[in-house]
Amino acid sequence: MEPLLKGTNLVKRYGKVTALDHCDFDLYPGEILAVIGDNGAGKSTLIKAISGAVIPDEGEIMLEGKPIRFSTPIEARAAGIETVYQTLAMSPALSIADNMFMGRELRAPGLMGSVFRKLDRPRMEKFAREKLNELGLMTIQNINQAVETLSGGQRQGVAVARAAAFGSKVVILDEPTAALGVKESRRVLELIRDVRSRGIPIILISHNMPHVFEVADRIHIHRLGKRLCVIKPGDYSMSDAVAFMTGAKLPEGVAEPA
Amino acid sequence: MEPLLKGTNLVKRYGKVTALDHCDFDLYPGEILAVIGDNGAGKSTLIKAISGAVIPDEGEIMLEGKPIRFSTPIEARAAGIETVYQTLAMSPALSIADNMFMGRELRAPGLMGSVFRKLDRPRMEKFAREKLNELGLMTIQNINQAVETLSGGQRQGVAVARAAAFGSKVVILDEPTAALGVKESRRVLELIRDVRSRGIPIILISHNMPHVFEVADRIHIHRLGKRLCVIKPGDYSMSDAVAFMTGAKLPEGVAEPA
Amino acid sequence: MTDAKTASSFEEGLKGASEKVAEFHEEKSQLKRLQHWLHQTPSAVPMIVLMVALLVFGVLAENFFKAGTLSVILQQIAIVGILGCAQTIVILTAGIDLSVGAIAVFSSVLMGQATFRYGVPAEIAIVIGLILGTAMGAVNGLLIAKMKLPPFIATLGTWQILLAANFIFSANETIRSSDIAATAPALQFWGGSIQPGGIKILYAVFLMIALVAIMSYVLRSTAWGRHVYATGDDPQAAELAGVPTGKVLIQVYALAGFFCAVAGWVMIGRFGSVSPTASTGQLGNIQSITAVVIGGISLFGGRGSIVGMFFGALIVGVFEMGLRLVGTDPQWTFFLIGVLIIFAVAVDQWIRKVAS
Amino acid sequence: MTDAKTASSFEEGLKGASEKVAEFHEEKSQLKRLQHWLHQTPSAVPMIVLMVALLVFGVLAENFFKAGTLSVILQQIAIVGILGCAQTIVILTAGIDLSVGAIAVFSSVLMGQATFRYGVPAEIAIVIGLILGTAMGAVNGLLIAKMKLPPFIATLGTWQILLAANFIFSANETIRSSDIAATAPALQFWGGSIQPGGIKILYAVFLMIALVAIMSYVLRSTAWGRHVYATGDDPQAAELAGVPTGKVLIQVYALAGFFCAVAGWVMIGRFGSVSPTASTGQLGNIQSITAVVIGGISLFGGRGSIVGMFFGALIVGVFEMGLRLVGTDPQWTFFLIGVLIIFAVAVDQWIRKVAS
Amino acid sequence: QTSACLITKTDTNPFFVKMKEGAEAKAAELGVTLKSYAGRIDGDHESQVAAVEACVADGAKGILIAASDTKAIVDSVAAARAAGVLVIALDTPLDPIDAADVTFATDNFQAGLLIGQWANATLGADAANAKIALLDLSIAQPSVDVLRDQGFLQGMGIDLADPNKWGDETDPRIVGNEVTSGNEEGGLKAMEALLAKDPDINVVYTINEPSAAGAFEALKAAGKENVLIVSVDGGCPGVQDVKDGVIGATSQQYPLQMAALGVAAIAQFAADGTKPAPTEGKAFFDTGVALITDKPVDGVESIDTTKGMELCWG
Ligand SMILES: Nc1ncnc2c1ncn2[C@@H]1O[C@H](COP(=O)(O)OP(=O)(O)OP(=O)(O)O)[C@@H](O)[C@H]1O
Ligand SMILES: Nc1ncnc2c1ncn2[C@@H]1O[C@H](COP(=O)(O)OP(=O)(O)OP(=O)(O)O)[C@@H](O)[C@H]1O
Ligand SMILES: [Mg+2]
Ligand SMILES: [Mg+2]
């Protein structure tokens, strides 16, 4: 099977810091690919390079076999790649519903919508509320609350709900459960499975090993700016994975770079 | 034993939203108190009320038996209460060392320091580097990097290192391991124990049940803006705790409010 | 694989978790409601300040509360109000446009000279002026969105450039009102008026109110309006969330340029003549920014409503007229307007604080 | 208790985890180093623009590269440079001070009138002027820090108030240079000069350079300086991290007021006379902001260096003088300075982009 | 109680400050209520339009206006007159001149012409290779600015090119034009720049006396205290400067007289509806202009500074 999304030799430098160091990457159709690694290993930079949020200095990215070169996240979104960034990317002063539909607002039916381009607020609010309920975010008391007034976890929930609702080709989640409670995390994992069952592959960055081993089909282990190896959760224990990503052990057939 | 820090009947409203609803709170000397609860339950608001970052609408806070009323976090810090906020509270454009010493900078020895008020950069940098190494944040390549260039986890690490290094009476950590990797989380837990062994009590907010049950002496379960109950990790299982905080079960002797 | 199961074993506690949406009882006192309303309605505070100002001057100056006086106030703020529409959308994107006045004056000169120097029919001259004004705004937008210049510096530059170009192009020549009335009355269109019951209300006033109403709708109820807010709120986040911030910025500045050109056309109607030295070129930016800020719109972008700007412009207009009627000396007028700017915004901040 | 152990069992994998600090090989090419240096040194780009401007005008205008011309440029920017010091610290806190010019002019009037109207000895009059200037700045600070007014609006208000107060207090009276020289030469102190090799350099120029140097040190190497940056960078975060942002803001505006009063004193030396109508009152704010922004300091606070401001002021001075020497008409000079402001900042942005 | 309005170009220029004082004194004497207005900057006719509207709304009997833009103000003046208000143009005639009921004005072109002729005659044969610096008001070139500058050049015998614009002359004797905002600071900076361009400047025209004082500071610093400076206005400090030799000659105007005449005319109009008549043979009531210098030359009528000090306006 051909990878749906493929990165080769990606390099990204920030001044003195090399965040991606000739990194490779593959995502196959319909799979959940987890990406794990130390803090600062370059995971977020990797997915930013894929989603158009940063432009890699070197290397090539292919989507469905065709080389792509996104220069903005909007292009990636248009190509069906939906991302939850670690920084969440929300407009603090706008409401939850506004944020969820940012860039793909619904217009009112009839003349008001087509000529006067009026937003369909009630429909957007209803949809937003439904998606949040699916995630179990019951403590959100007011769907018109500004996002800046939400708790850390509530914000995370809104971002995840947005990506899951709109992703059509790839959904990328950068630590989606980091700020979430037990109940809400569980819902996100269910949601991830749900998205996969719609045939959409998912890239999941997480530091939560139990979660990773529970849902991932393959695990991409990132170390010092590059892919160290890819493992299947069935073949290795969590302990092995942790050992690989922290440099305590080396997987077979891989040599630590000098 | 008298509580070191005691809150009674704390109320905080944000417009239509009631974040704290007549909440009580106790912290005893030398203990690690975990605070758990759903997203949006009001945990962060509670610790903000204690650390002077928000002023509660009602209720009273006592430190060592004396009523206190901080109107800024600076006053709380001066009283020895050091906090890592969920939003981290760092100046993005300044360096790691600058951020760690913000508000308590070291001055150079001799005339340069006393008359010309020159900062002792080398000493501050050395100290910062040491504290980060203690946390195992080895991927930070340059101690003079601006904080905005750090990865999410690295930032979290810097904030935790700052609080642990300077807290003298109470250290408050709001989800300190949320963005951290396995290795780094472990270090933080060790650091928490370390701080306690210096006799300083700690308030730890976390959604990570294994961590909470591992280090906490007591667990404050927060639900719908108030303290539902306080349990000892030895007396209940994680499952019970989760059931309490999500409302699946009620602890003995507590009635769910109408 | 086994420990995955175990690790999550504590999640069994989730079974039967409450699905209740959090609800707290709310105090429904009148005061609380008022506070909530003040908090929710960014234009409420300037409106209250305006009411108070009207009352005070009504008492102090005998001729103030005449329909004639009030209609004069409206016509005096028409131009600032239209420039304020331009300034509002720019400031909502966390920008600032120092060139608004210069674009307005230059556009009016272009319309006038196209007619009188080059003999273009007035209607076409107006269209040319509007297009060129829009283009000037678009240049601002390009500098800011594409070349990433800070808006303050980009528009500071274009302000100087356009003002100088205006003087050079016009050769400092004022076109007289009587000539315009004779040859190109279309240029003076907005100076026309209706006179219900003898009180003269300029078309320009209706235009200003219509523009405020339209923009209020656009900003609140269309996707584009939301994008403007998002761009000003946190441009990086907006970009990541799928707002084409660059495009939005260019559109915003171009639209602002268009409004300025409209203001230029209105200036011809209001003053009768076309004068390159009109002080709007120098002061239009500060005046419009003052209206915007008194109207409660944040200079850091993303917060506020255009209706607030309208009240802001009115507040300034009422103060100026009121002080004139009371007979204050010009320097004292400037002094008091300074005091009142600070006072108006301080009251605004205070009410917000009390209400929050 | 048991599952706590199990849950963390995978952490066994941590044993022997690498303790290596990440290190990547670095390209050490000259170009890379240059880029890195440009990136690290915010004042480098304005310096380069300045060099280029000097070269270009050196070629275009024959009288340009004379020591006399260069010293005239320095003395022409002395006042803007000192106001720029005030503006820089304010802008670093994400504020803006529109009242700098008004404080400077009013302070100079206060010094002059204290001596001539009230007969205070000149030295004491200067101290009074400096204290009152500082107080005016402190009022700005109080409005901004305590009453939470946006800096733009607070200083817009005080600008108008101070300028009007200046005219009212002075009764528009100019104190003549010859009177000052006869009775109160201390007022004209900064107009004195040294003349090494016949080239006249004003004391005012040395004062400006000294102020820039001192503030550069203070901002970079003292805790207070770091607090100024932190306050501008993210005030909420700074407050939570233990910076007394309110106090810092008041100090910053008060210090800015002090610098403005110093500029007022320098104005007397430089112009000889004390005039309430000095253009600095109207234009000092825009001029100083221009210098700051061309110098690469972010209007959003927290980024940039005061040395950049100095180069920014010099760039404007060089352009103005160069264009005059080339023989440009004043209207075209105005036009070209607009172009060059945009150009200078565009080059700055471009170099930053290429270097990052 | 008769009420009247005085609208000046700005109220920071001492010229208009004194005009206002004169009007106030006369108003107090005649029992007229006087309200004053001003533009914010030179050339600001918009504030003047707003002021006219305020006066009409306020029921004023008459308006005294020193117009910033002589054409642009005409419509609002017409509206005021239609409302039965007497409008008197002060200092600057409107365009067309009959837009106002009557005009009490100085001839600014004449003022420039006098100092030009004086400079030309003083230089004598050297006039042919003079080096002239022109310190004007602002790049907006309001009408006073143009009239004085062009009058001066005419007096010097220089071709004006477009007489409605300064700066388009090509005579090689002109070193350059600079703008000063009419104050010391502007005069100083402009002079410094022109000296850098050509250190041999020997004639300096200035828009008014404060800018002349600034220019003198620059010349003094450059060790060129013998340069011929000419100016316009005739304020007391300016006449003093002529006396001290700082300024060679200045054209004096009479703002107090204009204002007092204006207020009196309004009081008269309020009393019996009569309007004042213009000077014989002119379209306006000329309040006159006199050249003040202590170095009179043949062919240009002038008065000395002692007389000038008696007539000066503050
Ligand atoms: N804008 C930037 N400028 C400079 N350095 C950067 C920038 N962004 C990231 N870095 C550096 O690149 C490295 C990789 O960062 P990245 O955010 O990709 O890590 P990560 O693997 O996502 O870490 P975490 O798990 O903590 O989120 C880090 O060392 C970081 O300091
Ligand atoms: N500034 C604010 N304005 C309005 N509402 C707020 C504000 N801050 C918090 N809230 C609301 O108060 C409630 C409690 O928020 P808080 O941040 O204390 O939750 P939390 O328990 O810390 O949640 P999490 O675990 O997700 O961090 C939430 O419903 C939130 O939306
Ligand atoms: Mg990351
Ligand atoms: Mg929280």
Side-chain angles (χ1 to χ4, degrees), chain A residues 151-152, chain B residues 44 86 174-175:
Chain A
S151 80
Chain B
S44 296
Q86 207 168 358
D174 193 354
E175 308 200 17

Side-chain angles (χ1 to χ4, degrees), chain A residues 44 86 174-175:
Chain A
S44 296
Q86 207 168 357
D174 193 353
E175 307 198 19

Side-chain angles (χ1 to χ4, degrees), chain D residues 6-240:
Chain D
T6 338
S8 313
S9 67
F10 58 83
E11 295 187 6
E12 279 156 24
L14 280 178
K15 258 174 236 138
S18 161
E19 297 287 295
K20 219 176 71 175
V21 173
E23 261 177 63
F24 301 106
H25 79 286
E26 248 189 87
E27 285 178 71
K28 284 282 177 200
S29 73
Q30 290 296 354
L31 183 68
K32 282 272 156 192
R33 282 200 196 165
L34 176 70
Q35 290 188 343
H36 186 68
W37 177 72
L38 285 174
H39 205 67
Q40 289 300 101
T41 322
S43 52
V45 181
M47 203 180 73
I48 294 171
V49 174
L50 177 62
M51 294 300 157
V52 174
L54 282 172
L55 280 179
V56 169
F57 285 116
V59 172
L60 287 182
E62 48 178 334
N63 280 331
F64 189 79
F65 259 133
K66 290 193 318 193
T69 307
L70 298 178
S71 80
V72 167
I73 293 178
L74 279 173
Q75 81 193 36
Q76 292 210 334
I77 65 159
I79 289 161
V80 173
I82 296 172
L83 293 181
C85 288
Q87 197 67 263
T88 300
I89 52 175
V90 167
I91 286 182
L92 282 177
T93 66
I96 197 157
D97 191 344
L98 297 179
S99 67
V100 285
I103 296 180
V105 174
F106 197 14
S107 300
S108 77
V109 164
L110 287 168
M111 292 176 194
Q113 296 293 354
T115 315
F116 284 86
R117 193 186 298 168
Y118 303 110
V120 177
E123 288 73 16
I124 297 177
I126 290 166
V127 173
I128 292 175
L130 294 178
I131 291 174
L132 288 176
T134 311
M136 296 175 216
V139 169
N140 281 334
L142 285 170
L143 289 173
I144 291 159
K146 294 289 162 206
M147 307 196 52
K148 310 277 177 216
L149 300 193
F152 191 95
I153 207 73
T155 59
L156 178 66
T158 51
W159 175 27
Q160 292 217 20
I161 292 172
L162 294 174
L163 215 51
N166 162 53
F167 288 121
I168 295 167
F169 175 76
S170 67
N172 290 65
E173 234 170 66
T174 299
I175 304 172
R176 298 169 68 233
S177 175
S178 48
D179 296 342
I180 297 175
T183 332
L187 290 176
Q188 291 179 336
F189 174 78
W190 297 108
S193 58
I194 59 164
Q195 312 223 358
I199 300 135
K200 211 177 99 182
I201 306 176
L202 294 194
Y203 295 163
V205 171
F206 293 107
L207 176 67
M208 165 185 65
I209 293 173
L211 283 181
V212 170
I214 292 171
M215 287 316 293
S216 173
Y217 168 82
V218 168
L219 288 171
R220 202 143 17 120
S221 303
T222 71
W224 188 79
R226 295 287 95 187
H227 292 180
V228 170
Y229 276 89
T231 302
D233 207 0
D234 183 338
Q236 264 124 31
E239 181 81 36
L240 290 179

Side-chain angles (χ1 to χ4, degrees), chain C residues 84-143:
Chain C
C85 289
Q87 197 66 261
T88 300
I89 52 175
V90 167
I91 286 183
L92 282 177
T93 66
I96 197 158
D97 192 344
L98 298 178
S99 67
V100 285
I103 296 180
V105 175
F106 197 16
S107 300
S108 77
V109 165
L110 287 168
M111 292 176 192
Q113 296 293 354
T115 316
F116 286 84
R117 194 186 297 169
Y118 303 110
V120 177
E123 287 72 14
I124 297 178
I126 290 166
V127 173
I128 292 176
L130 294 177
I131 290 174
L132 289 177
T134 311
M136 296 175 217
V139 169
N140 281 334
L142 285 170
L143 289 173

